[in-house]
Structure formats: structure tokens, C-alpha cells
Amino acid sequence: MPRSRMANERLHAMIPGGAHTYAKGDDQYPENLAPVISHGRGAHVWDIDGNRYIEYGSGLRSVSLGHAHPRVIEAVRRELDRGSNFVRPSIVEVEAAERFLATVPTAEMVKFAKNGSDVTTAAVRLARAVTGRPRVAICGDHPFFSVDDWFIGTTPMSAGVPAATTELTVSFPYGDLAATQELLTRYQDEVACLILEPAGHTEPPPGYLAGLRELADRHGCVLIFDEMITGLRWSEAGAQGLYGVVPDLSTFGKALGNGFAVSALAGRRELMERGGLRHSRDRVFLLSTTHGAETHSLAAAMAVQTTYVEEGVTARLHALGERLAAGVRDAAAGMGVGDHIVVRGRASNLVFATLDENRQPSQQYRTLFLRRLLAGGVLAPSFVVSSALDDADIDRTVDVVAQACAVYRKALDAADPTPWLAGRPVKPVFRRLA
């Protein structure tokens, strides 16, 4: 990858971290094997060296229909020819809100922005305003909620965040109602909201989400579902539509735009209107973004939602994921590493764990595995599928995984993956030192 290596050096010379998203950094890939992308089509991408890859986790889970999806691109082009941003709301804003609320009928109002952090922070601010309480309770088992101080201060990359801000954020464990009850009792009348992903790599325990709903009501705090990942992938109406538990507020993004920048804060009218003009209470600065209502991004969102509903995309994502998970598990078992390469998560949102000889998570073994996948033309920081994949893509991926597992087995037998790394191991995104 000589051109990609040169481009990565150029990136680092001008852009802190060499990428505009930490999860896309070259530290997340084996040394000298971080492709710089030229273009993508469907489920495939090409790097600037001309290598072609089957891609998973496209756009950090945002491109769920595949790159340059015709229906989405047609909708975007139509609006670009009509102008993209005006001094007053466009009719597209009305249509996009109507489409969203029809797709997510558990919500009564919606406001659009550009990225997930915009809307999660707006939800937290609104919860604090309506409750008059300072503390935010986050689910400590979920990896990311916002780039803003209320969350980043709780991570190993907390430099620059005042301790006084971080102290206002507390955490609760997923699936443990008793621990959450204890937290709310300890900070009685101080917690403004509970914010969590409604589901992750495991299904919610029976009655858990309904129990959280009851706890939030009993303690007078706002229940917020972060549906950045679960939105559309779990069902067209998100996890709340699948599990039948309605939050006070919810946030959507990623798959909503199929790669175009759009996110949404949705929820109960009584709360959302506090950020509007038709009430007599103190105003909440909810969301006000110059580019939040770009017509082409909203058109993309409408096209995505229509495509999901009319073409049964969520069901297809699950079917593809089930085929992939079964193939990877069989390949790993066949090579004797079934206990070391572990596929987890809902079929529409698969990830994998790489475990060492002691069955502990290992960045070294992850490096080995990623290196072999890349060598076989599979770009897979996760196994999150897009609907553009076909059976041949899945079969090819499973073949490459089997080849990677054969090398993995050799490293396990040697109890040392170092000879197969060809450089430094990949690193976790959240760490204190560079």
C-alpha cells in the first residue's frame, strides 16, 4: 500500500490523529496496512492503491444500504439542484419530519441536526431543564454517547474537561435494575436523566427496559434511548419499536442518512416543545445548527426510511448477518479457534472478539486477525453488514476468515502472535496516552 502509506503521512501532517474520527485512525489497523479509500460502490470499497475490499461496518455503521445507493443518491441530487440551505425553513423540513414521525410513531416531535453528539447533548440539556436537576446517569457498559464534556470527561481521554463537570455524570450497569435503583436513591432528586443504548451485544433481560421506564417515572427523571446504532437496524422504528418500551426522548443517526450527515432528537411533545416557541416557561436552547436542515441530507433520510419500509431492509440485514455469523463460527471451529474468535451481537450489528491463549481479549491477536483479513480483501473492523452484500460476498468473507483462523491457530500454538504482527499492535480508541 505505498500510496496509502504516503497519504497517511500527509494526513498526520495536517490533521490531528490523521483522521477526523478517532475510530478511523490508522492506529486502529495493523502497521502499514491502513488503506486510504478512493471510492465505494455497494458493499465494496477501493483504496488509492487500487485494492478492492468487501467492507463491513461501513461509515462506522452509517452506510447500511451500501455506498452510493441509487434511491438515496437520486433524492439527494434532486434537492441539490433546488438549493441546499435557506434563510427560512424549506418544505423538505416538513416532509422529513412527517416521514420520521410516521416511521417512529412512538415519538411526537422531532428536530434534526448533523451528528449524534448534537442530539444526545441536546437531550441531556433538555432533561436538566425540565427536571431542574444537575446529574446525568449514563450506562457505563456502553462505549460512547457524545464528544461533549458531560460524557468525554468519564473516559480515559478526559484531558481538558473540568473535574466539576465530570463529577455531575454518574453511571449505572446495563441490565441491573437494583443497581440503578440504588444509584437513584443515593442521588435522590439529583438525577436529571438515564441515558443508554436500549440494546447492545446482548438482548435486554426480560422486563429490563420496562423496569427502567418504571424507575424513571418513580424518581422523576427523563428516560433517554440512544438509538444511533439500534435505530433502523433493530426495526424501522428502532429498539423502542421492537421492544415496545417508549422513552421520553430518543436520538437517531448513523443509518438514518446512509452516509449523509443527519441526526434526530425525538420525543414527547411536552418535553420537546420546551425548546420551541409555543409555551410560557423559560426557553431551552435545544438545537440550533446552521446546517441541521440541509435539504439534501433530509432528502437522504426520507429515502432511507422509505427504502427500509418498502424493501424490508431490516429483515435483510438480519438474514445476511445470520449467514455471516454462522459461516465465521463454523470456520473458526473448523480451525480449532472457535473459543478465541467470538462473534457477538444482534445479527444486524455483529462484532467480533479476539481472545488469546488464556481466552482474554487481545489487541495483538486482533492485529493478526485484521492483517489476514486485509490480505484477503476484507476490510472488517467489525462484522456489521450492509444490505448491499450478497451471498458471494459472505462466502468470500468466510473463506478469508478460515485462512486467517489457520494462522491464528499457529500463533496460539506458539503462545506468541508477535511473529505474525509485522509491526505494532492496534490500539483501543479510548486511552490516556497517544
Side-chain angles (χ1 to χ4, degrees):
M1 296 182 181
R3 292 182 178 176
S4 288
R5 287 197 291 272
M6 291 176 61
N8 276 311
E9 288 304 310
R10 291 165 61 197
L11 285 163
H12 278 282
M14 296 177 288
I15 301 167
H20 294 294
T21 311
Y22 283 119
K24 295 184 182 182
D26 58 4
D27 60 336
Q28 303 300 294
Y29 292 85
E31 192 167 3
N32 295 321
L33 277 182
V36 174
I37 304 302
S38 164
H39 63 286
R41 179 74 60 180
H44 300 99
V45 295
W46 287 257
D47 68 21
I48 58 175
D49 293 281
N51 300 304
R52 179 192 186 200
Y53 305 89
I54 304 168
E55 186 196 39
Y56 293 89
S58 315
L60 304 181
R61 293 181 173 88
S62 68
V63 186
S64 62
L65 299 178
H67 298 291
H69 188 275
R71 199 165 183 173
V72 176
I73 295 302
E74 179 185 358
V76 168
R77 283 182 175 147
R78 184 170 60 248
E79 291 307 324
L80 285 176
D81 286 340
R82 294 158 53 87
S84 62
N85 211 339
F86 310 105
V87 75
R88 278 282 294 148
S90 74
I91 191 62
V92 177
E93 295 179 52
V94 180
E95 296 165 349
E98 289 173 341
R99 166 57 63 186
F100 182 92
L101 295 174
T103 307
V104 187
T106 43
E108 295 174 332
M109 297 188 83
V110 63
K111 197 159 190 179
F112 295 111
K114 302 311 289 181
N115 60 67
S117 295
D118 290 343
V119 289
T120 54
T121 292
V124 165
R125 183 185 303 117
L126 183 56
R128 282 172 161 162
V130 299
T131 63
R133 300 174 179 179
R135 294 191 187 275
V136 176
I138 64 172
C139 181
D141 296 313
H142 295 156
F144 189 78
F145 289 105
S146 175
V147 300
D148 294 302
D149 288 359
W150 63 269
F151 172 71
I152 289 298
T154 69
T155 74
M157 294 177 71
S158 60
V161 180
T165 298
T166 303
E167 289 167 2
L168 292 176
T169 301
V170 295
S171 68
F172 60 93
Y174 187 80
D176 191 335
L177 290 174
T180 308
Q181 166 69 57
E182 190 280 327
L183 179 78
L184 293 172
T185 301
R186 187 190 331 155
Y187 296 108
Q188 187 70 39
D189 298 329
E190 294 183 36
V191 175
C193 61
L194 301 171
I195 181 169
L196 73 157
E197 297 177 27
H201 299 323
T202 59
E203 286 292 289
Y208 174 62
L209 295 178
L212 273 186
R213 173 72 277 173
E214 192 276 329
L215 279 178
D217 290 340
R218 190 193 322 159
H219 288 269
C221 54
V222 175
L223 181 61
I224 304 170
F225 282 177
D226 179 346
E227 298 242 35
M228 293 298 150
I229 294 173
T230 54
L232 294 169
R233 283 191 179 273
W234 262 240
S235 80
E236 289 85 358
Q240 58 195 278
L242 179 65
Y243 300 121
V245 175
V246 181
D248 298 301
L249 300 171
S250 55
T251 58
F252 290 75
K254 292 192 182 291
L256 183 60
N258 202 55
F260 287 92
V262 60
S263 61
L265 170 64
R268 290 198 292 119
R269 180 178 303 277
E270 178 187 356
L271 274 64
M272 293 287 288
E273 190 61 82
R274 289 288 297 274
L277 300 176
R278 297 187 173 184
H279 65 91
S280 58
R281 297 183 176 184
D282 289 347
R283 295 183 67 195
V284 178
F285 194 95
L286 185 58
L287 277 168
S288 182
T289 55
T290 299
H291 301 291
E294 283 177 332
T295 57
H296 58 276
S297 292
L298 295 183
M302 285 190 284
V304 167
Q305 290 168 97
T306 300
T307 301
Y308 262 80
V309 171
E310 293 184 356
E311 299 183 11
V313 172
T314 302
R316 175 168 173 77
L317 293 175
H318 283 85
L320 288 166
E322 287 166 3
R323 180 183 176 95
L324 176 63
V328 170
R329 287 170 180 145
D330 287 347
M335 293 295 173
V337 297
D339 292 333
H340 300 273
I341 295 176
V342 182
V343 180
R344 296 172 175 161
R346 193 172 183 85
S348 61
N349 188 55
L350 296 172
V351 297
F352 58 83
T354 51
L355 310 182
D356 64 16
E357 53 273 7
N358 298 315
R359 299 183 186 176
Q360 296 300 307
S362 168
Q363 294 296 101
Q364 287 186 308
Y365 280 95
R366 179 175 174 83
T367 307
L368 180 156
F369 191 56
L370 289 176
R371 178 171 285 277
R372 302 313 305 176
L373 293 183
L374 286 162
V378 176
L379 180 58
S382 69
F383 281 144
V384 176
V385 297
S386 74
S387 66
L389 291 159
D390 59 24
D391 288 348
D393 293 322
I394 301 293
D395 293 343
R396 172 60 184 163
T397 300
V398 171
D399 288 343
V400 172
V401 167
Q403 296 168 30
C405 289
V407 178
Y408 206 112
R409 182 68 259 172
K410 293 179 181 179
L412 287 170
D413 291 341
D416 180 14
T418 306
W420 289 274
L421 301 189
R424 53 106 182 110
V426 299
K427 300 178 181 181
V429 170
F430 286 113
R431 60 186 191 274
R432 190 171 66 88
L433 300 176

